[in-house]
Amino acid sequence: MTSRSFLEYAIANGGKAMEVIEYIKQTMKEEGVTQMELGRRTGLTRQSVFDVLTRANPNFNTVRRIFNALDRDIDIRKKDGGELDIDKNSLYAVFEREAPGFGKLKAILEAMGYEFQYVRK
């Protein structure tokens, strides 16, 4: 299993953190996955995939669905590398129910000392 945090992507990308949409686009490019194919894998239309890839703040559930289709997952970790003091399953249940925007959710988690980590399944 290979994973990278936003910081590791920043280092790999000349100091710029790779935002989630750029990560999805890069993964699609590397694996030769078209918007049409991604739509088929996720059950979304090609237009819906296009909309997500051009939206500034797609919702977390849609992003996670796309990650699953690309054999990836989004994990949460503490920025300092310490043990989590939250129950991830409960947190993901809230995310699923509330469908927050990914960018806002990322900002809230970062303010609390957490970060997203992209994980290859």
Side-chain angles (χ1 to χ4, degrees):
M1 182 185 313
T2 304
S3 60
R4 285 183 160 179
S5 68
F6 279 109
L7 177 60
E8 290 164 322
Y9 274 109
I11 293 167
N13 289 289
K16 294 185 177 181
M18 183 178 285
E19 294 298 329
V20 68
I21 296 302
E22 291 307 312
Y23 177 81
I24 292 169
K25 288 177 181 178
Q26 183 65 33
T27 301
M28 289 172 64
K29 182 178 177 181
E30 288 172 2
E31 297 186 7
V33 176
T34 65
Q35 290 180 12
M36 185 75 79
E37 174 61 18
L38 187 57
R40 187 191 64 73
R41 292 181 187 183
T42 59
L44 299 170
T45 65
R46 191 214 54 84
Q47 183 62 49
S48 293
V49 170
F50 173 82
D51 291 344
V52 168
L53 296 177
T54 58
R55 191 175 303 146
N57 191 24
N59 87 42
F60 179 82
N61 295 336
T62 304
V63 170
R64 197 160 186 214
R65 189 173 174 181
I66 289 171
F67 267 58
N68 284 332
L70 295 171
D71 200 28
R72 305 292 194 283
D73 200 1
I74 303 167
D75 198 11
I76 297 172
R77 71 176 194 172
K78 287 188 84 168
K79 287 181 179 181
D80 66 8
E83 291 291 318
L84 291 181
D85 51 6
I86 57 174
D87 177 35
K88 282 197 295 188
N89 291 330
S90 296
L91 194 58
Y92 282 130
V94 171
F95 295 168
E96 190 171 318
R97 184 178 65 245
E98 300 297 326
F102 190 89
K104 289 182 181 182
L105 182 57
K106 177 180 173 276
I108 290 167
L109 288 173
E110 286 180 350
M112 295 171 52
Y114 296 92
E115 66 183 353
F116 284 123
Q117 183 176 35
Y118 303 141
V119 181
R120 174 172 248 167
K121 293 182 181 180

